[in-house]
């Protein structure tokens, strides 16, 4: 029987998402569009992590630091009267890129659990640094002075406009990363995941490819941070915490690593399930955690693998 490809699943998902704001409005639950927008922002963050986790086998427990860097770039510039995305996004990308290159050059000298621990350490360093800076609110965070604009336009003004802006950006980033992972760069990165010594033997430098992917991943996560700051109208060191990094890893694993579409599914399932269960009980974390464990154990290849399996029936 004909199988469902990752591309087909993503195309179908986008078609399902397009009319959802109208569906929520018809159901008398327009607030769900706000929740769905937040889920799409985390889908972008999970997509960035999948580049290094799924394709490069780099398990980073400090990836949320880049989310926070992007959020603070938007927050700090907005506090100083600079609200244009044409300034905020380059600043966020530059800050995240520099941080990723410096910390990645050190972290990538290690492997396995040592890599996990050193990325965790760098992430917590960023967290405690922002927590200690009272000029930017410290532990209490800071309120976004104004939502970002783009050459005078207001892409985040209004729930519907915000939703479709984020959805379009997610689709564009998915297509961009799809091209990257299918290029020579992506094939070499995947090759280093499978057999680093063999890649060295045929003339490639795994370190350079890994570091480039690590920096690119951090920059995309920083872009998600800019969106998150605008969505919440608030910036907090909690965006950088190790628990947030763990949630992002869970999204990637839940959806299906190394697929690009899987992390999008995982992020949507994670955030929407969290919201749904919280409506029924204050102890929602218990059934939610159990559901995630069961999904990982019994769906081969994550949620995307389960969908592909049904496509073969």
């Amino acid at each position: 029987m004909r199988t469902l490809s990752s591309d087909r699943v993503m195309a179908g998902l986008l078609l399902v998402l397009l009319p959802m704001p109208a569906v929520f409005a018809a159901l008398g639950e327009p607030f769900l569009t706000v929740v769905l927008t937040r889920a799409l922002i985390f889908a972008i963050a999970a997509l960035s992590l999948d580049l290094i986790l799924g394709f490069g086998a780099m398990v980073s427990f400090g990836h949320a630091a880049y989310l926070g860097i992007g959020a603070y770039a938007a927050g700090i510039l907005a506090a100083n009267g600079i609200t244009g995305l044409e300034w905020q996004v380059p600043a966020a990308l530059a800050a995240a890129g520099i941080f990723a290159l410096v910390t990645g050059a050190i972290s990538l000298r290690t492997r396995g659990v040592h890599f996990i621990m050193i990325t965790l350490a760098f992430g917590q360093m960023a967290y405690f640094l922002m927590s200690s800076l009272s000029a930017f609110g410290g532990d209490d965070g800071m309120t976004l002075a104004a939502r970002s604009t783009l050459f005078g336009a207001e892409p985040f003004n209004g729930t519907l406009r915000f939703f479709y802006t984020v959805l379009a950006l997610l689709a564009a980033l998915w297509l961009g990363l799809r091209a990257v992972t299918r290029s020579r760069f992506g094939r070499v990165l995947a090759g280093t995941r499978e057999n680093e010594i063999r890649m060295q033997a045929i003339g490639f430098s795994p370190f350079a490819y890994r570091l480039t992917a690590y920096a690119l991943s951090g920059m995309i996560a920083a872009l998600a941070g800019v969106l998150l700051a605008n969505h919440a109208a608030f910036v907090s060191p909690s965006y950088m915490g190790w628990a947030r990094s763990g949630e992002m890893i869970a999204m990637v694993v839940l959806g299906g690593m190394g697929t690009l579409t899987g992390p999008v599914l995982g992020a949507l399932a994670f955030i929407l399930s969290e919201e749904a269960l919280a409506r029924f009980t204050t102890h929602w974390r218990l059934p939610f955690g159990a559901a995630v464990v069961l999904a990982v154990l019994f769906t081969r290849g994550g949620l995307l693998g389960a969908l592909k399996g049904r496509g073969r029936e």
Side-chain angles (χ1 to χ4, degrees):
M1 299 295 292
R2 193 174 187 179
T3 60
L4 287 172
S5 67
S6 177
D7 292 1
R8 287 176 176 271
V9 172
M10 187 63 186
L13 180 61
L14 290 174
L15 288 175
V16 170
L17 289 171
L18 277 171
M20 291 313 295
V23 173
F24 293 147
L27 294 174
E29 295 280 0
F31 176 71
L32 290 179
T33 301
V34 177
V35 177
L36 186 56
T37 302
R38 181 170 179 268
L40 293 177
I41 293 171
F42 275 99
I44 293 175
L47 198 61
S48 73
L49 180 59
D50 189 41
L51 179 63
I52 59 173
L53 177 58
F55 292 90
M58 292 175 270
V59 184
S60 172
F61 251 98
H63 204 68
Y66 302 102
L67 192 70
I69 287 172
Y72 270 100
I76 293 170
L77 288 177
N80 288 277
I82 303 173
T83 60
L85 287 170
E86 61 271 20
W87 299 104
Q88 292 180 356
V89 170
L93 297 183
I98 292 170
F99 186 75
L101 287 172
V102 173
T103 60
I106 299 171
S107 303
L108 289 170
R109 303 290 179 184
T110 63
R111 293 289 183 273
V113 70
H114 302 289
F115 179 83
I116 295 172
M117 294 307 295
I118 200 168
T119 56
L120 173 61
F122 280 127
Q124 289 303 99
M125 284 170 60
Y127 168 80
F128 285 115
L129 173 64
M130 298 314 300
S131 296
S132 66
L133 296 179
S134 57
F136 305 131
D139 278 332
D140 296 327
M142 60 187 296
T143 302
L144 196 69
R147 276 188 167 173
S148 303
T149 59
L150 181 63
F151 299 110
E154 299 179 330
F156 304 137
N157 184 23
T159 302
L160 284 179
R161 190 178 297 179
F162 202 148
F163 172 81
Y164 286 112
T165 297
V166 175
L167 183 62
L169 188 56
L170 172 63
L173 287 170
W174 184 88
L175 287 171
L177 285 176
R178 177 177 177 270
V180 167
T181 55
R182 295 187 179 189
S183 68
R184 178 184 176 183
F185 173 85
R187 291 194 295 271
V188 172
L189 182 64
T192 63
R193 175 193 63 196
E194 299 299 330
N195 194 319
E196 184 174 346
I197 295 176
R198 182 173 295 175
M199 296 306 295
Q200 288 178 318
I202 60 177
F204 292 103
S205 172
F207 179 82
Y209 282 87
R210 287 174 181 266
L211 184 58
T212 301
Y214 193 81
L216 178 60
S217 176
M219 292 166 73
I220 296 173
L223 180 58
V226 174
L227 297 173
L228 186 61
N230 279 277
H231 184 263
F234 182 74
V235 181
S236 168
S238 63
Y239 293 170
M240 297 177 156
W242 67 268
R244 183 71 68 190
S245 295
E247 289 178 356
M248 291 163 63
I249 291 174
M251 292 173 189
V252 174
V253 175
L254 177 63
M257 292 191 300
T259 62
L260 294 181
T261 300
V264 177
L265 288 171
L268 290 171
F270 192 99
I271 299 297
L272 296 180
S273 298
E274 182 181 86
E275 175 67 21
L277 290 172
R279 292 190 171 199
F280 292 100
T281 174
T282 56
H283 306 291
W284 59 268
R285 287 180 178 83
L286 181 60
F288 178 73
V292 170
V293 170
L294 290 174
V296 171
L297 287 176
F298 295 104
T299 56
R300 185 178 180 182
L303 296 177
L304 181 62
L307 286 175
K308 287 182 175 181
R310 290 187 65 83
R312 287 192 292 267
E313 292 177 0

